[in-house]
Amino acid sequence: MMANEALRRHRNSQRWTQTQVAERVCAQVQAATGRDPELDANWVSRLERGAITWPSGDYRAALCAVFQVASEEELGLYPKGSAAPDERPAEEAPSDDVRSLATDTELSGRLARHAAETNVNALVLEQFDADVERLARDFVSRLCLS
């Protein structure tokens, strides 16, 4: 099972949560077919982990519309049994660019924004940050006095 980095990259470039992607795909499928699918963040997570590589045609079309791409391949989707996009021969393999990795500050900021957006322990995170800053100041002041 190969992780779907292309889909994750598209989602992160939009700064959407997995839940937001699922909601947008559901709305797109409903608009196109009249059906009311019940997709959630777990479904998007399974796509990104590579547990689902080739969702049904309606879902693939909705994903392409939501992310405004021309083909499923751009989203890293492929039929079961065929070679994953990362396993196909390529002219140039993607480089592991250090700049493409999130720094600790960016990650911390994203986690705080996600917590605030989802109302999950946002106050606890704020209090934790305040406590860490206070402890750091106390440690530095004690270190200077020693």
Side-chain angles (χ1 to χ4, degrees):
M1 180 169 57
M2 188 75 126
N4 187 336
E5 294 298 327
L7 184 62
R8 184 176 291 130
R9 223 178 5 262
H10 279 288
R11 181 177 61 82
N12 287 336
S13 72
Q14 297 292 327
R15 298 183 182 268
W16 291 340
T17 64
Q18 291 175 338
T19 301
Q20 290 170 320
V21 171
E23 290 169 353
R24 284 172 169 84
V25 169
C26 285
Q28 185 68 30
V29 169
Q30 186 174 24
T33 67
R35 287 186 302 121
D36 191 18
E38 294 184 20
L39 303 176
D40 59 6
N42 184 47
W43 181 78
V44 177
S45 174
R46 291 173 57 212
L47 281 171
E48 290 182 355
R49 289 192 323 262
I52 301 173
T53 61
W54 193 246
S56 72
D58 293 339
Y59 295 156
R60 290 192 316 271
L63 281 164
C64 288
V66 165
F67 288 112
Q68 299 175 350
V69 297
S71 71
E72 295 98 354
E73 192 170 84
E74 289 182 56
L75 294 176
L77 302 175
Y78 61 94
K80 281 196 183 280
S82 70
D86 293 343
E87 296 171 358
R88 295 177 188 155
E91 293 176 11
E92 184 177 321
S95 64
D96 290 332
D97 190 352
V98 174
R99 289 171 290 167
S100 69
L101 301 175
T103 64
D104 290 342
T105 306
E106 291 171 320
L107 181 59
S108 175
R110 272 193 278 156
L111 288 172
R113 280 193 304 278
H114 177 70
E117 287 173 2
T118 57
N119 255 348
V120 176
N121 297 326
L123 294 175
V124 172
L125 285 175
E126 289 175 19
Q127 184 62 46
F128 177 75
D129 285 343
D131 290 345
V132 168
E133 288 177 26
R134 182 182 49 77
L135 289 171
R137 280 194 307 272
D138 289 350
F139 178 75
V140 169
S141 67
R142 289 181 185 173
L143 191 64
C144 291
L145 295 176
S146 298

